[in-house]
Amino acid sequence: MPDREAPSGHEGGVSEQTEQTQAAGQASPSYPIVARTDFSETTFLIEIEHPQMANAARPGQFVIVMLHEHGERIPLTIADFDRTRGTITLVVQAVGKSTREMQILCQAGRRIHAMLGPLGIPSEIGHAKKVVCVGGGLGIAPIYPQARAFKEAGAYVIGVLGFRSSNLMFWEDKFQAICDEFIICTDDGSAGMKGLVTQGIETALERHPDVSEVVAIGPPIMMRACAETTRPHGVKTMVSLNPIMVDGTGMCGGCRVKVGEEIKFACVDGPDFDGHKVDFDDLFTRLQRYRSEESEAMDSWDASCRRLALAPDAAASDPSSNKGDI
């Protein structure tokens, strides 16, 4: 689930289409935001019009977006796609400088400067007869297209979703429409089963010992817990990894992960991997690598926002204040 933004100063170039357009001396393409929904104070959905990408997208893939010409490249897993409407849906959690910027600027009617994708290897749906699709936190969004694809392939789909509280729940209706069984877990017990998604997995496996595959997407610590829950049962378990990415095409090596005895790149070899083989300790270490730079970027962003609030005229010189493209 590639949603970790690279720290400020570790930015890549623009999308291939943008580069070709700029080389031809034309204006950069951009993509309109046609809808936005806020799920909580930090989590929101944007639907972007991009017919070619919507037609090419497959479950499990991701995109890299640039808000404006000075923005950094932000990898985000595709939460949904609508080939009829020609749209791509992204669900974003504002946790760092660039995603905070997205939260402020990504409003319906505005435009995304550049998008690259779909990237990554599509999820292998195969011919599983009975699957458990597990989503926790922000991972609930990208597990949806996989669950839908399994259902369309004829599988019996059991959905297990985990939220901290009922007030943070979203997309229950979408999952109920495609799941044969649906289990909600909340940390505080305000909805569904009180507890973690691992308890939901155990419940599903007790009811259905013939489950052939579990797919889990969410925070790394949750995905590791899911893999350890299924390991004694010998059930195939796939997870979607989210190391920091820069270019998203295998060139920088920033998203390398250890899977079994091999080094893989999440952007071109994944993002889906066998959860029983992933070295999660190594992944946790890599996710901490740029914490100081991320903190500095946030401090600088907050300071800039305060200056603009005190001096509104300064917004004219800020690239993110553009009223057309973001």
Side-chain angles (χ1 to χ4, degrees), residues 82-128:
D82 188 319
R83 305 195 201 288
T84 302
R85 287 170 51 84
T87 59
I88 292 288
T89 298
L90 305 175
V91 176
V92 187
Q93 189 171 43
V95 294
K97 176 261 179 185
S98 292
T99 47
R100 285 267 302 275
E101 189 176 18
M102 287 188 73
Q103 184 180 32
I104 294 171
L105 299 178
C106 288
Q107 305 292 338
R110 303 192 72 167
R111 305 175 75 90
I112 296 289
H113 173 71
M115 290 182 65
L116 172 64
L119 300 172
I121 299 175
S123 300
E124 183 178 348
I125 302 304
H127 302 286

Side-chain angles (χ1 to χ4, degrees), residues 24 33 37 47 83 89-90 104 126 141 220 235 244 254 299 302:
I33 299 171
T37 303
E47 188 176 1
R83 305 195 201 288
T89 298
L90 305 175
I104 294 171
V235 178
I244 293 173
D299 291 344
D302 287 339

Side-chain angles (χ1 to χ4, degrees), residues 247-259:
D247 66 278
T249 60
M251 298 293 289
C252 73
C255 66
R256 61 184 179 271
V257 294
K258 291 183 180 179
V259 182

Side-chain angles (χ1 to χ4, degrees), residues 36-51:
R36 168 168 169 156
T37 303
D38 286 84
F39 297 130
S40 71
E41 292 182 356
T42 59
T43 305
F44 60 98
L45 170 155
I46 52 174
E47 188 176 1
I48 303 165
E49 184 178 321
H50 195 318

Side-chain angles (χ1 to χ4, degrees), residues 10-31:
H10 294 260
E11 300 161 1
V14 296
S15 70
E16 294 177 1
Q17 184 178 1
T18 303
E19 289 174 337
Q20 294 168 357
T21 304
Q22 290 176 341
Q26 303 172 15
S28 296
S30 59
Y31 307 99

